[in-house]
């Protein structure tokens, strides 16, 4: 094992000494069926005054759901319903922050995000941008945020992305799709109630669940791998196998996928994702394909890079009777194809994790074109 050198690769170096990243984790988490009803209790000590609301950003799929009656509204709290049809944008974050600042005299006591990766990322970004000046797009990158965020809570309603544990919020900005990566991005509180995932449509359940599976495969087969990432990645992978190939009851499956997502997210925290994410990023940027689906579309053709992972992926698709859409890239112009390849190849750390330091000699634009054309 050569972990000390590898672990330092994507981190700052101090002379010749590697400097290991001091990684923040979610400080508080509740797990359990029905735990959503404890939300009011969790928020109470965080309320700063009757004028400082808690803002609930909620996926609009719940707009007419019984869940809404269970939101612990007090004083001037506000619910904002948001569609997850499109991935979050910096201008959307700026607009939400503007609206909150306009409507309330005091800064909110807290921001609560309820939904999938889209809503969790929006909640993180809004909480950050309420205390940091300017547009969210100014903070896309690494460690550009200078002030702590407003207290923020993440409540996932679909499992797989690991956004509930990560120190990033992925946003589409005017110039790039890039996360706001900072220690302040991490949620102050996460509430994991597996019952909230009951209504997830099967196809979407698979796509978002496969995001977790692919995080494991890319982390466990990457050159950045170390014992920290491996310990979480192996656990998440075992849980994914149980969920997608085993004979669990629906309730067991919901519990286990929620924990798989958590561990998968922790695994990539101290390593990196790989080829599927790099290529899925290109699909998302040029065609607007969403993260989970994009990963699946690419991953099915990555047998040269992840042979065992891809074989197992086909078994999971078969067992779950999933059919992926076809022909997405077939009508693509050469110009768009080139753009897609360029965007994908710009994700240097992902390629380096997947193929090693000499990655540029191991991958060609032609190879990417060949894979994209199959999608
Ligand atoms: P999502 O939030 O985009 O939601 C997918 C679909 O599922 C939506 O239509 C949504 O309305 C629906 N849905 C969610 N919960 C539901 C429920 N309980 N019942 C019925 N429908 C429900 O999906 P996602 O895959 O969780 O998130 C993708 C996003 O996460 C992308 O924007 C991606 O960039 C981001 N992401 C972030 C990180 C991170 O670390 N911050 C990691 C991976 C992905
Ligand atoms: Zn992912």
């Amino acid at each position: 094992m050569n972990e000390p050198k590898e672990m330092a690769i994507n981190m700052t170096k101090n002379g010749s000494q590697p400097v290991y990243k001091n990684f923040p984790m979610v400080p508080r988490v509740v797990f359990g069926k029905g735990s959503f009803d404890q939300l009011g209790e969790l928020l109470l000590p965080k309320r700063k005054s009757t004028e400082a609301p808690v803002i609930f950003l909620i996926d609009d799929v719940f707009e007419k759901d019984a869940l809404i009656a269970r939101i612990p509204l007090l004083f001037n709290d506000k619910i904002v319903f948001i569609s997850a049809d499109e991935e979050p944008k910096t201008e959307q974050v700026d607009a939400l922050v503007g609206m909150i600042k306009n409507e309330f005299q005091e800064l909110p006591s807290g921001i609560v995000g309820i939904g999938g990766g889209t809503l969790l990322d929006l909640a993180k970004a809004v909480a950050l941008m309420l205390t940091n000046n300017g547009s969210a797009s100014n903070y896309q990158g690494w460690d550009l945020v200078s002030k702590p965020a407003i207290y923020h809570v993440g409540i996932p309603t679909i499992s797989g992305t690991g956004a509930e544990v990560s120190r990033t919020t992925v946003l589409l900005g005017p110039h790039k799709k890039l996360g706001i990566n900072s220690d302040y991005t991490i949620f102050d509180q996460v509430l994991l109630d597996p019952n909230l995932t009951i209504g997830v449509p099967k196809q979407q359940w698979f796509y978002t669940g496969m995001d977790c599976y692919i995080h494991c495969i890319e982390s466990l087969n990457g050159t950045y791998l170390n014992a920290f990432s491996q310990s979480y990645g192996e656990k998440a992978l075992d849980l994914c196998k149980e969920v997608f190939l085993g004979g669990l009851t629906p309730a067991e499956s919901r519990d286990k996928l929620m924990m798989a997502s958590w561990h998968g997210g922790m695994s990539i925290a101290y390593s990196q994702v790989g080829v599927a994410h790099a290529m899925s990023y290109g699909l998302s940027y040029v065609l607007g394909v969403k993260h989970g689906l994009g990963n699946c579309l690419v991953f099915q053709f990555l047998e040269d890079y992840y042979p065992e992972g891809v074989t197992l992926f086909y078994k999971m698709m078969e067992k779950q009777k999933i059919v992926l859409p076809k022909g997405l890239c077939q009508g693509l112009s050469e110009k768009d194809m080139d753009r897609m390849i360029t965007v994908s190849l710009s994700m240097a750390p992902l390629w380096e994790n997947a193929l090693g330091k000499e990655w540029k000699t191991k991958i060609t634009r032609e190879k990417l074109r060949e894979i994209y054309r199959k999608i």
Side-chain angles (χ1 to χ4, degrees), residues 59 61-62 84-85 87-88 115-119 121 124 157-158 161-163 166 168-170 177 196-201 204 208 211 215 290-292:
D59 189 316
V61 75
F62 295 108
D85 287 350
E87 298 193 337
T118 301
L119 267 290
D121 278 359
K124 290 176 181 181
T157 64
I158 179 170
T161 63
S166 76
T168 189
T169 155
V170 184
K177 180 176 171 184
L196 298 181
T197 66
I198 285 176
V200 175
Q204 186 63 54
T208 301
D211 190 21
H215 289 159
K290 294 191 72 183
H291 189 77

Side-chain angles (χ1 to χ4, degrees), residues 251-262:
E252 285 169 337
S253 164
R254 287 192 293 272
D255 283 10
K256 293 196 178 199
L257 191 55
M258 201 159 248
M259 288 321 298
S261 175
W262 184 277

Side-chain angles (χ1 to χ4, degrees), residues 96-168:
L96 283 163
V97 169
M99 180 198 77
I100 294 167
K101 284 189 169 165
N102 254 331
E103 194 169 329
F104 300 96
Q105 260 129 42
E106 285 187 33
L107 278 178
S109 297
I111 304 292
V112 181
I114 304 178
T118 301
L119 267 290
L120 297 180
D121 278 359
L122 274 174
K124 290 176 181 181
V126 168
L128 284 169
M129 294 313 301
L130 279 163
T131 51
N132 288 276
N133 292 331
S135 164
S137 61
N138 300 339
Y139 298 90
Q140 286 178 283
W142 283 267
D143 302 308
L144 302 173
V145 179
S146 57
K147 296 196 194 106
I150 297 273
Y151 173 78
H152 52 303
V153 182
I155 307 184
T157 64
I158 179 170
S159 300
T161 63
E164 65 278 18
V165 296
S166 76
R167 78 189 275 285
T168 189

Side-chain angles (χ1 to χ4, degrees), residues 305-357:
Y305 304 99
Y306 306 110
E308 288 169 27
V310 173
T311 304
L312 209 56
F313 176 77
Y314 279 106
K315 285 195 181 135
M316 290 173 173
M317 283 220 297
E318 195 187 325
K319 165 114 183 163
Q320 301 301 333
K321 302 189 175 59
I322 299 292
V323 179
L324 296 176
K326 283 201 177 91
L328 268 83
C329 295
Q330 269 151 23
L332 211 64
S333 68
E334 272 312 307
K335 194 171 154 225
D336 279 344
M337 176 60 84
D338 272 333
R339 210 151 58 95
M340 206 143 85
I341 294 170
T342 304
V343 167
S344 170
L345 287 175
S346 72
M347 312 296 287
L350 282 64
W351 290 105
E352 185 177 305
N353 177 44
L355 306 176
K357 273 203 170 308

Side-chain angles (χ1 to χ4, degrees), residues 268-303:
I268 48 173
Y270 226 106
S271 70
Q272 196 34 284
V273 283
V275 182
H277 275 76
M279 292 192 67
S280 167
Y281 189 89
L283 276 181
S284 155
Y285 200 79
V286 175
L287 292 172
V289 177
K290 294 191 72 183
H291 189 77
L293 172 60
N295 284 347
C296 290
L297 288 172
V298 172
F299 194 72
Q300 62 180 329
F301 298 121
L302 296 186
E303 62 280 357

Side-chain angles (χ1 to χ4, degrees), residues 355-364:
L355 306 176
K357 273 203 170 308
E358 306 302 321
W359 66 272
K360 285 184 181 153
T361 63
K362 294 186 181 152
I363 188 79
T364 61

